[in-house]
Each structure stands twice: as C-alpha cells, then as structure tokens.
Amino acid sequence: MEPALNDTYREEVVVVKPDGTITRKIEVVPSNETVRSYVPGHLKPWPAVWDKYPPYVDELIRKGYKYWVVNGRYNAIWQTGYADPNVVEIMARHPMNIVQVNPDDAAKEGLESGDIVVVYNDYGSTTAMVWVTRVVAPGTIFLIMAHPKAVGANAVTTPSVDPAAQNPDYKLTLANIRKIGRAHETLLKTVTFKEIKFAVR
C-alpha cells in the first residue's frame, strides 16, 4: 500500500558479506501517481471475521503448542529452490531445511546448532537442522518456506482459510519441536551457524 498512498516509497537493497554481516540500504523512489490517486477512492477493506485467532489456530493454543512458526523465503534457498540442487555450494551450505531457534528456547529444549529435530503439530510435521540464533524472538521459530530436499514449512500450517479473502493462513500456526538426532560431523563441516549481523546505513 505504501507506493499507492504516499508520494514516495522505499526500496531496500540488501548485501550479505562472507563474514555474515548484512547491510541494508534504503532508497526513496517516486510513487506512480496514477496508482496513488486510484487506491484511496476504490479500496474497500472489510472487517475481520474473527475477533481473535482463527478456530484452527485457537485449538493449537488451547492444546499447549509452544512455538509460533514463522515461515518465509530464505535468500540462499530462493523460492522453492528449483535451481539450487544444481549448485554444489548451495547444497553444501544448506543440505537440508533449517529451523532457527532462539538461544533461550534452545536451552529449554536441550538443543544445539546442528541437532536434527522434528517440528510438529496436529496437522503435520517436517524435519530440520537447528540453527541457534537471536534473529528469532523467544517463543518463535523460523522455517524456510520450501527446500529442494525437504518438506516445507507448510507441512505444519492449518487448514484455516480466511472466509472473506479466501486466503490460506500460511503464516499463522504453532508447533512443538523434538530432537531426533544430530547431523554427522562430516556434514557439519560444510555448514555454518554464525550469528547473522544486521547493519543499516
């Protein structure tokens, strides 16, 4: 909505350096005047049908699932990773799906980077390699949306669909995690669990 409602909007350029530092550069770009003038008069937002969480998600809360599952794209495994299996370096760096876990939660669960876990709830499960990092907040875990050699994060999403927009709730679910093993040392030599650093210019 930002480009449609304002005179300018922000474009973000992200650069990832080999030492793990991520720099972000924000550029201000003029908006498209035609779109900007059209949306305020024609956009018709509707009220939320539920005043709390959707029923499926509310059920997971009541059953005591502990972690909000955030899922999304991951730069190194872009989209579904459709071309990545052909890139040796990418597959060596990310041989399987990862789950980012906050250090506080990792301590509670007895987890370390490199452990293999199953992420599960009433609707499904997926396995992933643990990456302990402060990038995610306590009580939250991050799963890659899709990985070319793994079941994606949508394995644990609920059947919930917004009745007005008819959009599935791909980003709204909870799950638990359980350790089932540890990656072999030869595999761990090809990956890194270095903390991600953000620097804004």
Side-chain angles (χ1 to χ4, degrees):
M1 296 305 298
E2 184 183 358
L5 299 177
N6 299 308
D7 294 325
T8 59
Y9 69 97
R10 296 163 296 157
E11 284 189 351
E12 181 178 345
V13 179
V14 180
V15 177
V16 181
K17 297 181 180 178
D19 68 352
T21 302
I22 299 175
T23 58
R24 298 170 59 218
K25 180 180 178 184
I26 307 297
E27 296 179 352
V28 178
V29 179
S31 292
N32 181 317
E33 183 66 32
T34 302
V35 175
R36 188 168 65 86
S37 60
Y38 176 84
V39 172
H42 295 83
L43 180 66
K44 293 180 173 50
W46 50 84
V49 176
W50 299 303
D51 61 354
K52 294 186 180 176
Y53 292 112
Y56 290 105
V57 176
D58 196 48
E59 177 78 3
L60 293 176
I61 294 171
R62 288 192 296 103
K63 287 187 174 181
Y65 284 97
K66 296 186 282 188
Y67 300 103
W68 289 102
V69 180
V70 177
N71 76 74
R73 294 170 175 84
Y74 189 72
N75 257 2
I77 304 291
W78 180 242
Q79 302 285 35
T80 59
Y82 49 86
D84 296 337
N86 301 319
V87 183
V88 175
E89 293 79 8
I90 292 178
M91 288 297 95
R93 172 65 182 87
H94 298 286
M96 64 183 300
N97 201 1
I98 59 165
V99 56
Q100 293 179 324
V101 181
N102 183 273
D104 296 342
D105 295 327
K108 292 175 189 174
E109 300 287 343
L111 299 174
E112 298 178 357
S113 291
D115 287 343
I116 307 299
V117 296
V118 59
V119 179
Y120 67 94
N121 60 20
D122 290 3
Y123 302 101
S125 64
T126 185
T127 55
M129 184 186 299
V130 172
W131 179 356
V132 179
T133 172
R134 295 198 179 278
V135 167
V136 290
T140 304
I141 59 177
F142 173 81
L143 279 169
I144 296 175
M145 177 185 70
H147 187 286
K149 294 187 177 180
V151 176
N154 286 339
V156 294
T157 55
T158 75
S160 180
V161 175
D162 182 276
Q166 294 298 301
N167 290 328
D169 286 320
Y170 290 134
K171 305 293 184 182
L172 191 60
T173 191
L174 291 98
N176 285 345
I177 51 180
R178 183 176 69 244
K179 180 177 176 178
I180 58 174
R182 183 162 179 81
H184 193 276
E185 291 303 317
T186 55
L187 184 69
L188 292 176
K189 289 179 181 177
T190 70
V191 301
T192 178
F193 302 107
K194 193 169 185 177
E195 189 68 66
I196 297 173
K197 306 169 191 173
F198 290 94
V200 181
R201 289 185 187 178

